[in-house]
Amino acid sequence: ETGVTQTPRHLVMGMTNKKSLKCEQHLGHNAMYWYKQSAKKPLELMFVYSLEERVENNSVPSRFSPECPNSSHLFLHLHTLQPEDSALYLCASSQTGLAGDPYEQYFGPGTRLTVT
Amino acid sequence: EDQVTQSPEALRLQEGESSSLNCSYTVSGLRGLFWYRQDPGKGPEFLFTLYSAGEEKEKERLKATLTKKESFLHITAPKPEDSATYLCAVQAMNTGFQKLVFGTGTRLLVSP
């Protein structure tokens, strides 16, 4: 495996279900991100983990719960979602440097989530 | 508030017809500006990083330029395989980590 992988690629869940999205990066990076991409809207940053510590929680509802057990893996646990949560969920990774050096982020293919 | 505006929203070109995509930004000190390409059903693919006004970078038929207010992605003699959505993002100086602010993208369609 190379780059950033995400599973599953597609997910349909009811509003009362609990599911998890998985992301794995094979680039040796030490920062990982979750983004939400909806039609006609810019990518929205949800969570950032740097050196396995959460450094950003961008006012995301508590029905989304991230987990970063190590620098290569990132999870997004989902429960009691709403139909408006249907979107493409993207994982990304990057290096981190001193004072937030502008390292590029590398994205996975995304999980297309549909909440019914 | 940091903001990125991309134009046009959509662009249709004939193969070989050169054009430019625009990314205007408002940021409290630019740390870096990023261009990505996104194909349908896939994640964004990194293209370029620009750091300061006057900087230019090239890759095949693509050339990115940067001024203090905007960036252009010039596409020379495009081919149908260049069809994609092109995203622009900025990172501001006042963020302690790689927080990117994205535009909504330009959908490019190149017809043979």
Side-chain angles (χ1 to χ4, degrees), chain A residues 9 33 35 37 40 42-43 45 48 55-56 90 95-97 99-105 107-109, chain B residues 9 31-32 34 36 38 41-44 46 49 51 87 91 95-100 102-104 107:
Chain A
R9 294 295 310 278
Y33 312 77
Y35 286 88
Q37 187 175 35
K40 304 285 188 180
L43 268 74
L45 180 65
V48 181
V55 296
E56 176 78 353
L90 292 161
Q95 289 288 15
T96 57
D101 294 332
Y103 292 105
E104 58 272 13
Q105 295 177 20
F107 287 81
Chain B
E9 185 175 323
R31 178 165 276 145
F34 302 81
Y36 286 85
Q38 186 173 23
K42 295 187 177 181
F46 170 72
T49 308
Y51 299 98
L87 301 173
Q91 184 186 351
T95 56
F97 55 90
Q98 285 73 27
K99 180 176 181 178
L100 298 183
F102 280 84
T104 51
R107 290 193 319 276

Side-chain angles (χ1 to χ4, degrees), chain A residues 7 16 27 33 36 39 50 55 58 75 92 104 108-109 113:
Chain A
T7 55
T16 58
L27 300 169
Y33 312 77
K36 176 183 179 181
S50 178
V55 296
N58 210 22
F75 295 89
E104 58 272 13
L113 173 66

Side-chain angles (χ1 to χ4, degrees), chain A residues 3 7 12-13 17 24 39 60 75 80 83 88 98 106 110 112 116:
Chain A
T7 55
V12 178
M13 59 186 289
N17 291 159
E24 185 173 359
V60 178
F75 295 89
T80 323
L88 182 68
L98 295 176
Y106 291 87
R112 174 65 63 185
T116 60

Side-chain angles (χ1 to χ4, degrees), chain A:
Chain A
E1 290 281 10
T2 59
V4 181
T5 58
Q6 290 187 243
T7 55
R9 294 295 310 278
H10 301 273
L11 179 63
V12 178
M13 59 186 289
M15 291 194 289
T16 58
N17 291 159
K18 290 184 179 181
K19 296 286 185 183
S20 296
L21 309 184
K22 179 183 176 182
C23 174
E24 185 173 359
Q25 60 96 0
H26 308 269
L27 300 169
H29 291 161
N30 49 24
M32 297 188 77
Y33 312 77
W34 280 117
Y35 286 88
K36 176 183 179 181
Q37 187 175 35
S38 305
K40 304 285 188 180
K41 296 176 70 175
L43 268 74
E44 301 172 49
L45 180 65
M46 299 175 71
F47 301 103
V48 181
Y49 278 83
S50 178
L51 299 172
E52 302 164 33
E53 180 182 346
R54 190 191 308 180
V55 296
E56 176 78 353
N57 177 347
N58 210 22
S59 302
V60 178
S62 59
R63 56 186 183 267
F64 295 91
S65 175
E67 178 188 1
C68 186
N70 55 60
S71 60
S72 298
H73 294 85
L74 185 65
F75 295 89
L76 188 63
H77 304 298
L78 316 172
H79 65 95
T80 323
L81 294 191
Q82 305 299 310
E84 59 264 30
D85 297 322
S86 297
L88 182 68
Y89 288 84
L90 292 161
C91 173
S93 71
S94 75
Q95 289 288 15
T96 57
L98 295 176
D101 294 332
Y103 292 105
E104 58 272 13
Q105 295 177 20
Y106 291 87
F107 287 81
T111 295
R112 174 65 63 185
L113 173 66
T114 303
V115 181
T116 60

Side-chain angles (χ1 to χ4, degrees), chain B residues 17-55:
Chain B
E17 180 187 1
S18 301
S19 188
S20 296
L21 313 182
N22 177 264
C23 171
S24 297
Y25 63 90
T26 304
V27 67
S28 53
L30 181 69
R31 178 165 276 145
L33 184 142
F34 302 81
W35 281 99
Y36 286 85
R37 168 195 171 126
Q38 186 173 23
D39 293 298
K42 295 187 177 181
E45 174 189 348
F46 170 72
L47 294 174
F48 304 109
T49 308
L50 301 167
Y51 299 98
S52 58
E55 189 175 2

